[in-house]
Amino acid sequence: MVTKQNTQTMIDVSGLSKTFVLHTQGSARISVFEDLSLDVAAGECMALDGPSGAGKSTLMRILYANYRIDQGRIEVRHEGEMVDLASSAPRTVLEVRRHTLGYVSQFLRVIPRVSTLDVVAEPLRALGTDEAEAHDRARTMLARLNVPERLWGLAPATFSGGEQQRVNVARGFVAELPILLLDEPTASLDAINRQCVMGLIDEAKTRGAAVVGIFHDREVRDAVADRVFDMRETLAASGEAA
Amino acid sequence: MSDDDVLLQVDGVCKNFGEIRACDNVSFELWPGEVLGIVGESGSGKTTLLNCLAGRTEPDSGLISYTNRRGEASDIFAMFEPERRMLARTDWGFVHQNPRDGLRLDITAGGNIGERLMMVGARHYGNIRGEAETWMNRVELELGRIDSLPRTFSGGMQQRLQIARNLVSGPRLIFMDEPTGGLDVSVQARLLDLLRELVRELNVAVVIVTHDLAVARLLSDRLMVMRHGAVVESGLTDQVLDDPQHAYSQLLVSSILQV
């Protein structure tokens, strides 16, 4: 049962249009969205659904302000106020990401020499948590995701796909941010670890986080999603060469 | 001075060398603790802009205003020379691509670090030596080398020494010109990681010029892409690199070789 406080809107996208213009390829124009709107409430998980190329990952990146947009507003609730990421200064976007917006991408961007433990602890350190506590919480998260302890001190560059993904998930969930964007968080995981990620998503919802995810795995989607956003209906008229 | 005051305000900076437009009407703001990357190919005006910002080259027109620790903003080229030189020693640092341009080769490693402290008034030998040791450690230089001359150091060690020399006086703003430029890849990774940690820990603002987009991604919060002296695109680092809008930025990003 959703409590009243949990029905607060956390993400409010309106009138979103996005076109890619490929200057290096004859200025081809690819229109991805026209006038797309969606909203997600606290404690709710929305799954983005649609075939490959429907723009699911593009929409996720737009929600994280990683991709820019031509028109519209991308509002997220940050420390009680709605902030439009599309029109905010870079330092505001970074502040919102630090405190409010977590993103688990499909691939881990590894930094040379930085240990797994530090990779996972980093979002907490960025919030000012002291090193000892950040490391404690990172260890708990890594253990929960069954990342072998002997790997914690190593940089994740040489890990397997599944191990890297679990490091990425650990990093995404460790700071318990109010909004989580999950791009196929279970894609290369076995059944046990899939269960584990589903458990983390459920806990996040229970504490009131808004979750937007792409889940190709039907079982995962049915288990965690409260609503499905069908991208087929939003797909803009196909691209035309200009 | 709070985090809400702009640290550096740059307005319409132009600089020509004869017929060549090295800086063409460049404007931006830099906030405390922010890391700004300037990218573009050789000859795009990156280094000229950096030299203008650091008070080393006077622009033909435009304004560069710096807000000091007391919250007072002033045009750096309207200051008297001694005042600007004092800023360069206390509030600012400059890390050159070639460490030999930023080090004193005829004094020891410890002396190079200590000199910056003495410039701002430190006199107690024990304290200066102690600080130098601390900084040797922080930039991962062996303490046993503190009395060696920098010319006996490798390129990577010299670069780390130059960084220590710049950071020891607690600056608020560091200018860096291709700081990893002349180094082997493995040495580069170590230096980048070190820089990343120090910048975050000390909350120092940085303007870093680089032609290496991977370096820019790792270190900077925000990017400006320059071409023919003008800024063609700017924004959050990952936005500019993952969804570049300008034709030239798209060309730069698409020209990176995948390893």
Side-chain angles (χ1 to χ4, degrees):
Chain A
M1 202 51 209
V2 186
T3 63
K4 186 155 178 79
Q5 180 211 337
N6 276 356
T7 56
Q8 222 175 20
T9 301
M10 297 299 287
I11 303 175
D12 186 2
V13 175
S14 56
L16 159 65
S17 297
K18 169 71 181 170
T19 305
F20 290 106
V21 181
L22 309 177
H23 292 288
T24 55
Q25 295 174 53
S27 294
R29 296 177 65 86
I30 299 168
S31 177
V32 191
F33 305 123
E34 251 171 62
D35 200 26
L36 178 147
S37 298
L38 66 82
D39 54 84
V40 187
E44 184 181 42
C45 174
M46 174 187 272
L48 305 183
D49 190 35
S52 276
K56 301 185 295 292
S57 289
T58 299
L59 182 55
M60 288 293 250
R61 283 168 176 264
I62 287 172
L63 293 176
Y64 194 60
N66 173 230
Y67 280 1
R68 297 189 246 206
I69 62 174
D70 310 328
Q71 264 175 34
R73 297 174 70 81
I74 312 294
E75 294 192 14
V76 298
R77 186 172 301 278
H78 170 63
E79 322 219 293
E81 304 276 329
M82 293 308 272
V83 176
D84 177 24
L85 295 176
S87 58
S88 292
R91 66 193 200 110
T92 308
V93 175
L94 291 175
E95 180 73 13
V96 171
R97 285 182 182 174
R98 237 183 330 266
H99 291 268
T100 300
L101 204 53
Y103 179 51
V104 176
S105 61
Q106 287 186 61
F107 304 102
L108 181 67
R109 190 176 282 285
V110 288
I111 300 161
R113 291 212 317 163
V114 179
S115 74
T116 296
L117 192 63
D118 282 326
V119 168
V120 175
E122 195 181 27
L124 289 169
R125 299 282 288 140
L127 289 173
T129 309
D130 71 58
E131 191 171 29
E133 193 197 328
H135 278 172
D136 268 353
R137 286 171 64 182
R139 278 187 209 101
T140 307
M141 196 53 89
L142 285 165
R144 194 167 163 185
L145 284 155
N146 306 304
V147 178
E149 193 168 344
R150 64 191 155 78
L151 300 180
W152 298 356
L154 308 176
T158 54
F159 292 6
S160 74
E163 282 162 351
Q164 288 198 4
Q165 187 163 37
R166 280 177 281 152
V167 172
N168 222 3
V169 169
R171 180 182 157 90
F173 279 84
V174 75
E176 303 194 342
L177 299 175
I179 299 176
L180 293 174
L181 308 173
L182 312 174
D183 193 346
E184 302 219 40
T186 57
S188 35
L189 301 186
D190 58 27
I192 293 172
N193 286 309
R194 209 156 49 222
Q195 282 297 332
C196 180
V197 173
M198 282 153 64
L200 284 170
I201 296 172
D202 268 336
E203 280 169 33
K205 285 165 60 182
T206 306
R207 67 171 163 79
V211 181
V212 180
I214 300 171
F215 310 102
H216 273 165
D217 187 325
R218 226 197 158 79
E219 179 202 334
V220 175
R221 186 174 60 209
D222 291 346
V224 299
D226 303 290
R227 253 199 306 157
V228 173
F229 187 79
D230 191 345
M231 304 281 298
R232 269 165 291 241
E233 292 164 17
T234 63
L235 197 58
S238 57
E240 58 207 275
Chain B
M1 170 89 203
S2 74
D3 273 7
D4 294 329
D5 287 325
V6 163
L7 191 63
L8 203 62
Q9 172 90 43
V10 180
D11 253 322
V13 166
C14 294
K15 176 73 188 173
N16 295 340
F17 295 111
E19 293 292 293
I20 298 162
R21 285 229 111 166
C23 289
D24 186 0
N25 198 21
V26 176
S27 303
F28 68 91
E29 288 167 345
L30 185 74
W31 300 83
E34 205 171 34
V35 181
L36 171 69
I38 304 177
V39 298
E41 54 201 20
S42 304
S44 58
K46 309 183 297 274
T47 298
T48 303
L49 176 61
L50 193 73
N51 283 329
C52 288
L53 301 178
R56 303 159 66 92
T57 301
E58 185 159 1
D60 299 334
S61 59
L63 176 78
I64 299 167
S65 162
Y66 172 75
T67 308
N68 68 18
R69 290 175 207 256
R70 294 184 300 277
E72 302 151 358
S74 40
D75 177 351
I76 62 166
F77 287 101
M79 289 173 190
F80 291 114
E81 179 65 28
E83 200 184 339
R84 192 161 59 236
R85 215 177 306 148
M86 193 61 193
L87 266 187
R89 287 172 183 168
T90 54
D91 280 30
W92 300 349
F94 198 106
V95 175
H96 297 264
Q97 173 171 7
N98 186 340
R100 282 172 226 105
D101 295 335
L103 291 173
R104 293 264 306 270
L105 297 176
D106 52 345
I107 62 173
T108 62
N112 265 284
I113 301 175
E115 194 182 43
R116 272 279 284 208
L117 288 174
M118 286 159 70
M119 284 176 183
V120 295
R123 287 293 172 266
H124 186 281
Y125 176 78
N127 291 350
I128 294 171
R129 176 97 183 170
E131 272 291 290
E133 284 175 358
T134 305
W135 275 95
M136 291 284 286
N137 249 325
R138 289 185 84 167
V139 299
E140 303 172 17
L141 289 170
E142 264 175 69
L143 270 188
R145 301 299 296 274
I146 193 166
D147 295 318
S148 310
L149 294 177
R151 75 172 117 77
T152 64
F153 286 9
S154 70
M157 289 165 69
Q158 286 180 351
Q159 198 55 298
R160 278 178 276 142
L161 181 61
Q162 191 190 185
I163 286 161
R165 175 180 162 95
N166 270 281
L167 290 177
V168 67
S169 59
R172 301 168 67 221
L173 174 57
I174 304 257
F175 302 98
M176 297 187 188
D177 189 6
E178 303 274 10
T180 59
L183 304 175
D184 290 339
V185 181
S186 61
V187 178
Q188 231 185 60
R190 182 176 184 192
L191 189 77
L192 281 174
D193 180 33
L194 183 78
L195 277 176
R196 211 175 60 93
E197 264 169 46
L198 288 173
V199 163
R200 188 175 60 184
E201 199 180 311
L202 304 169
N203 196 34
V204 57
V206 180
V207 182
I208 176 170
V209 159
T210 178
H211 67 273
D212 185 333
L213 298 183
V215 169
R217 189 191 283 272
L218 201 60
L219 290 181
S220 59
D221 300 317
R222 200 148 65 85
L223 273 191
M224 294 200 313
V225 181
M226 284 187 78
R227 189 191 193 195
H228 301 326
V231 175
V232 297
E233 180 165 358
S234 65
L236 213 56
T237 297
D238 59 284
Q239 276 178 353
V240 174
L241 295 179
D242 296 338
D243 188 17
Q245 307 288 308
H246 190 277
Y248 179 68
S249 323
Q250 290 189 357
L251 180 67
L252 271 188
V253 170
S254 66
S255 304
I256 304 173
L257 297 176
Q258 299 284 332
V259 180

